[in-house]
Amino acid sequence: MRIWDAHCHLGVGRYKKQTLSELLERMDRFGVEKSVVVPVEEYIAVDNREGNRLLIDAVEQSRGRLLGFATANPWFGKQAETLLEDALKAGLSGVKFNPAVQGFHLNDPLVEPLIELAEKYGVPVYFHTGTPVSSIPFQLYDLALRYPKVRFIMGHSGYSDFWNDVPFIARHSENIWFDTSLSLSSRTQDILSAVGHDRILFGSDSPHSGLPYELSKVRAVQADEQAMEAMLDGNLRKLLGFS
């Protein structure tokens, strides 16, 4: 089966470190065809332009192996809008926010101009979830209801304290996809039981978590071959506009 990874970190930060060569080597070792990359913490919080440039360069150097999700801290206002639009025009494939790091509540109107840019460019928006009080699943649910045309990814599916909210959200939303990274196999199984396999995305959160470990958790889910193929690569391919 082909594998596309919905969430990896790239760069050298205070807490996470993964270079382009390290990531590509891990992908080769564990059979990952393509990976979505996001910048590490400093680039998420403050140095957005540098982080987006790192991704643009890495995507180009990877010769099609990587897809970049740009970031911008909404506290920067119009500057954030310009940064994000420049990155999307340069070819990045989506947007990543981590409200716990960037200092806002996930559904705060502060972020709306950047969500509207994502809608304008037709790209998905990944939100870190699972960190109270700023990054919880029902905040994303609220935002997704306000922007029904935007495709949102619930990072980590609410791990660890909010997993019990996720099946309800899955059943009552159509524009939220669910990233498996850091979440338990049983939580992925809950989503599968609630709505089927079409909106579940394999993610590793590399290097924060181990790629083989995250793959083993998805493969432990009780699912038929069609569902497993969808979770490991098909859903992400469709979400990003690949045939």
Side-chain angles (χ1 to χ4, degrees):
M1 290 183 183
R2 292 195 297 185
I3 302 168
W4 283 32
D5 189 338
H7 193 245
C8 297
H9 299 270
L10 192 65
V12 178
R14 183 175 183 181
Y15 301 108
K16 299 183 184 74
K17 174 185 177 295
Q18 183 159 241
T19 65
L20 175 59
S21 60
E22 288 170 338
L23 174 57
L24 292 174
E25 189 276 330
R26 289 183 178 116
M27 290 170 62
D28 289 340
R29 194 186 336 157
F30 298 106
V32 178
E33 184 176 320
K34 291 183 187 289
S35 293
V36 169
V37 287
V38 302
V40 294
E41 47 275 340
E42 289 91 334
Y43 296 138
I44 290 278
V46 180
D47 298 326
N48 300 155
R49 186 181 299 278
E50 293 85 347
N52 292 340
R53 172 48 57 186
L54 172 72
L55 297 186
I56 292 166
D57 292 344
V59 167
E60 182 178 350
Q61 293 169 33
S62 74
R63 299 183 179 181
R65 300 288 304 280
L66 302 182
L67 301 156
F69 274 27
T71 194
N73 191 323
W75 282 108
F76 291 142
K78 289 294 183 182
Q79 180 185 354
E81 294 178 47
T82 300
L83 285 170
L84 184 56
E85 188 156 29
D86 287 348
L88 295 175
K89 285 180 176 178
L92 295 188
S93 302
V95 184
K96 159 74 185 275
F97 296 107
N98 187 333
V101 172
Q102 293 172 313
F104 68 97
H105 284 82
L106 194 158
N107 57 342
D108 193 305
L110 182 72
V111 78
E112 289 179 354
L114 303 182
I115 302 300
E116 289 163 8
L117 272 176
E119 182 174 358
K120 173 183 174 181
Y121 283 89
V123 297
V125 179
Y126 183 109
F127 271 99
H128 167 92
T129 65
T131 304
V133 294
S134 59
S135 304
I136 60 178
F138 271 114
Q139 292 170 334
L140 180 57
Y141 178 54
D142 174 58
L143 190 63
L145 290 176
R146 282 152 42 198
Y147 289 93
K149 295 181 180 179
V150 177
R151 296 160 296 154
F152 294 95
I153 302 171
M154 183 184 291
H156 321 309
S157 296
Y159 177 81
S160 62
D161 293 336
F162 301 97
W163 60 267
N164 53 325
D165 297 333
V166 175
F168 174 92
I169 293 170
R171 286 192 298 267
H172 292 85
S173 65
E174 296 182 352
N175 60 328
I176 299 177
W177 279 252
F178 300 91
D179 160 44
T180 66
S181 66
L182 305 185
S183 189
L184 300 176
S185 298
S186 55
R187 305 289 74 86
T188 301
Q189 195 80 55
D190 290 340
I191 301 168
L192 188 65
S193 299
V195 295
H197 61 256
D198 289 339
R199 288 185 284 140
I200 299 174
L201 308 174
F202 164 69
S204 71
D205 205 46
S206 173
H208 181 61
S209 186
L211 178 52
Y213 173 61
E214 295 293 337
L215 277 170
S216 71
K217 289 192 302 179
V218 174
R219 288 170 171 155
V221 171
Q222 297 300 307
D224 60 26
E225 185 175 353
Q226 179 184 5
M228 192 61 66
E229 288 178 349
M231 292 187 292
L232 287 176
D233 84 297
N235 295 337
L236 183 57
R237 285 192 289 112
K238 290 177 183 177
L239 184 64
L240 295 175
F242 290 81
S243 59

